[in-house]
Coordinates of all heavy atoms in Angstrom, one line a residue:
V20 N 0.9 -1.2 0.0 CA 0.0 0.0 0.0 C 0.9 1.2 0.0 O 1.9 1.3 0.7 CB -0.9 0.0 1.3 CG1 -1.8 1.3 1.2 CG2 -1.7 -1.2 1.4
P21 N 0.6 2.3 -0.8 CA 1.3 3.6 -0.6 C 1.2 4.0 0.8 O 0.2 3.9 1.5 CB 0.5 4.5 -1.6 CG -0.1 3.6 -2.6 CD -0.5 2.3 -1.8
L22 N 2.3 4.7 1.3 CA 2.4 5.0 2.7 C 1.3 5.8 3.2 O 0.7 5.5 4.2 CB 3.8 5.8 2.9 CG 4.1 6.1 4.3 CD1 4.5 4.9 5.1 CD2 5.2 7.2 4.4
G23 N 0.9 6.9 2.5 CA -0.1 7.8 3.0 C -1.5 7.1 3.1 O -2.2 7.2 4.1
D24 N -1.8 6.3 2.1 CA -3.1 5.6 2.1 C -3.2 4.6 3.2 O -4.2 4.4 3.8 CB -3.3 4.9 0.7 CG -3.4 5.9 -0.4 OD1 -2.3 6.3 -0.9 OD2 -4.5 6.2 -0.8
F25 N -2.1 3.9 3.5 CA -2.1 2.9 4.6 C -2.5 3.6 5.9 O -3.2 3.0 6.7 CB -0.7 2.3 4.8 CG -0.7 1.2 5.8 CD1 -1.1 -0.1 5.6 CD2 -0.3 1.5 7.1 CE1 -1.1 -1.1 6.5 CE2 -0.3 0.5 8.1 CZ -0.7 -0.8 7.8
F26 N -2.1 4.9 6.1 CA -2.3 5.6 7.3 C -3.5 6.6 7.1 O -3.6 7.6 7.7 CB -1.1 6.4 7.8 CG 0.0 5.4 8.3 CD1 1.0 5.1 7.4 CD2 0.0 4.9 9.5 CE1 2.1 4.2 7.9 CE2 1.0 4.1 10.0 CZ 2.0 3.7 9.2
C27 N -4.4 6.2 6.2 CA -5.7 7.0 6.0 C -5.4 8.4 5.6 O -6.2 9.3 6.0 CB -6.5 6.9 7.3 SG -7.1 5.3 7.8
N28 N -4.4 8.6 4.7 CA -4.1 9.9 4.2 C -3.8 9.7 2.7 O -2.6 9.5 2.4 CB -3.0 10.6 4.9 CG -3.5 11.4 6.1 OD1 -3.5 12.7 6.0 ND2 -3.8 10.7 7.1
G29 N -4.8 9.8 1.8 CA -4.6 9.4 0.4 C -4.3 10.6 -0.5 O -4.0 10.3 -1.7
W30 N -4.3 11.8 0.0 CA -4.1 12.9 -1.0 C -2.8 13.7 -0.8 O -2.7 14.8 -1.3 CB -5.3 13.9 -0.8 CG -6.6 13.2 -1.3 CD1 -7.7 12.9 -0.5 CD2 -6.9 12.8 -2.6 NE1 -8.7 12.3 -1.3 CE2 -8.2 12.3 -2.6 CE3 -6.2 12.9 -3.8 CZ2 -8.9 11.8 -3.7 CZ3 -6.9 12.4 -5.0 CH2 -8.2 11.8 -4.9
C31 N -1.8 13.1 -0.1 CA -0.5 13.8 0.1 C -0.6 15.1 0.8 O 0.2 16.0 0.6 CB 0.2 14.0 -1.3 SG 0.6 12.4 -2.1
R32 N -1.7 15.3 1.6 CA -1.9 16.4 2.5 C -2.3 15.8 3.8 O -3.3 15.1 3.9 CB -2.9 17.4 2.0 CG -2.6 18.1 0.7 CD -3.6 19.1 0.4 NE -3.4 19.8 -0.9 CZ -4.1 20.8 -1.4 NH1 -5.2 21.2 -0.7 NH2 -3.8 21.4 -2.5
R33 N -1.6 16.2 4.9 CA -1.9 15.6 6.2 C -3.3 15.9 6.7 O -3.6 17.1 6.7 CB -0.8 15.9 7.2 CG -1.1 15.4 8.6 CD -0.1 15.8 9.6 NE 0.1 17.2 9.7 CZ -0.6 18.0 10.5 NH1 -1.6 17.5 11.2 NH2 -0.3 19.3 10.5
K34 N -4.0 14.9 7.1 CA -5.2 15.1 7.9 C -5.1 14.2 9.1 O -4.8 13.0 9.0 CB -6.5 14.7 7.1 CG -6.7 15.4 5.8 CD -7.1 16.9 6.0 CE -8.5 17.0 6.6 NZ -8.9 18.4 6.7
N35 N -5.3 14.8 10.3 CA -5.1 14.0 11.5 C -6.2 13.0 11.6 O -7.4 13.2 11.2 CB -5.2 15.0 12.7 CG -4.0 15.9 12.8 OD1 -2.9 15.6 12.2 ND2 -4.1 17.0 13.5
V36 N -5.8 11.8 12.2 CA -6.8 10.7 12.4 C -6.7 10.3 13.8 O -5.6 10.1 14.4 CB -6.4 9.5 11.5 CG1 -7.3 8.3 11.7 CG2 -6.4 10.0 10.0
R37 N -7.8 10.0 14.4 CA -7.9 9.7 15.9 C -8.7 8.4 16.1 O -9.6 8.3 16.8 CB -8.6 10.8 16.7 CG -7.9 12.2 16.5 CD -8.6 13.3 17.2 NE -8.0 14.6 17.1 CZ -8.2 15.4 16.0 NH1 -9.1 15.0 15.1 NH2 -7.6 16.5 15.9
S38 N -8.2 7.3 15.4 CA -8.9 6.0 15.5 C -8.1 5.1 16.3 O -7.0 5.4 16.7 CB -9.1 5.4 14.1 OG -7.9 4.9 13.6
V39 N -8.7 3.9 16.6 CA -8.0 2.9 17.5 C -6.8 2.3 16.7 O -5.7 2.4 17.3 CB -9.0 1.8 17.9 CG1 -8.3 0.6 18.5 CG2 -10.1 2.3 18.9
P40 N -6.9 1.8 15.5 CA -5.8 1.2 14.9 C -4.8 2.2 14.2 O -3.7 1.8 14.0 CB -6.4 0.2 13.9 CG -7.7 0.8 13.5 CD -8.2 1.6 14.7
I41 N -5.3 3.3 13.7 CA -4.5 4.3 12.9 C -4.6 5.6 13.6 O -5.7 6.1 13.9 CB -5.0 4.4 11.5 CG1 -4.9 3.0 10.8 CG2 -4.2 5.5 10.8 CD1 -3.4 2.6 10.5
A42 N -3.5 6.3 13.9 CA -3.5 7.6 14.4 C -2.5 8.4 13.6 O -1.3 8.0 13.4 CB -3.1 7.6 15.9
V43 N -2.9 9.6 13.1 CA -2.0 10.5 12.4 C -2.1 11.8 13.2 O -3.1 12.4 13.4 CB -2.5 10.7 11.0 CG1 -1.6 11.8 10.3 CG2 -2.4 9.4 10.2
N44 N -0.9 12.3 13.7 CA -0.8 13.4 14.6 C 0.1 14.5 14.0 O 1.0 14.2 13.2 CB -0.2 12.9 15.9 CG -1.0 11.7 16.5 OD1 -2.3 11.8 16.5 ND2 -0.4 10.7 17.0
P45 N 0.0 15.7 14.5 CA 0.8 16.8 14.1 C 2.3 16.4 14.3 O 2.7 15.9 15.3 CB 0.4 18.0 15.0 CG -1.0 17.6 15.4 CD -1.0 16.1 15.6
A46 N 3.2 16.8 13.3 CA 2.8 17.3 12.0 C 3.2 16.3 11.0 O 4.0 16.5 10.1 CB 3.5 18.6 11.8
G47 N 2.6 15.1 11.1 CA 2.9 14.0 10.2 C 3.3 12.7 10.8 O 4.0 11.9 10.1

């Protein structure tokens, strides 16, 4: 899987995610 898509970020722009299995936090 492309890196961003695996972490629920498919558009090459960071969007924070607050889920149980995937978390994306500032600033990447």
Side-chain angles (χ1 to χ4, degrees):
V20 182
L22 185 73
D24 295 84
F25 183 85
F26 292 96
C27 299
N28 271 255
W30 293 114
C31 296
R32 294 185 182 182
R33 176 179 57 86
K34 299 291 291 187
N35 292 341
V36 177
R37 302 174 182 86
S38 77
V39 169
I41 300 291
V43 178
N44 304 317

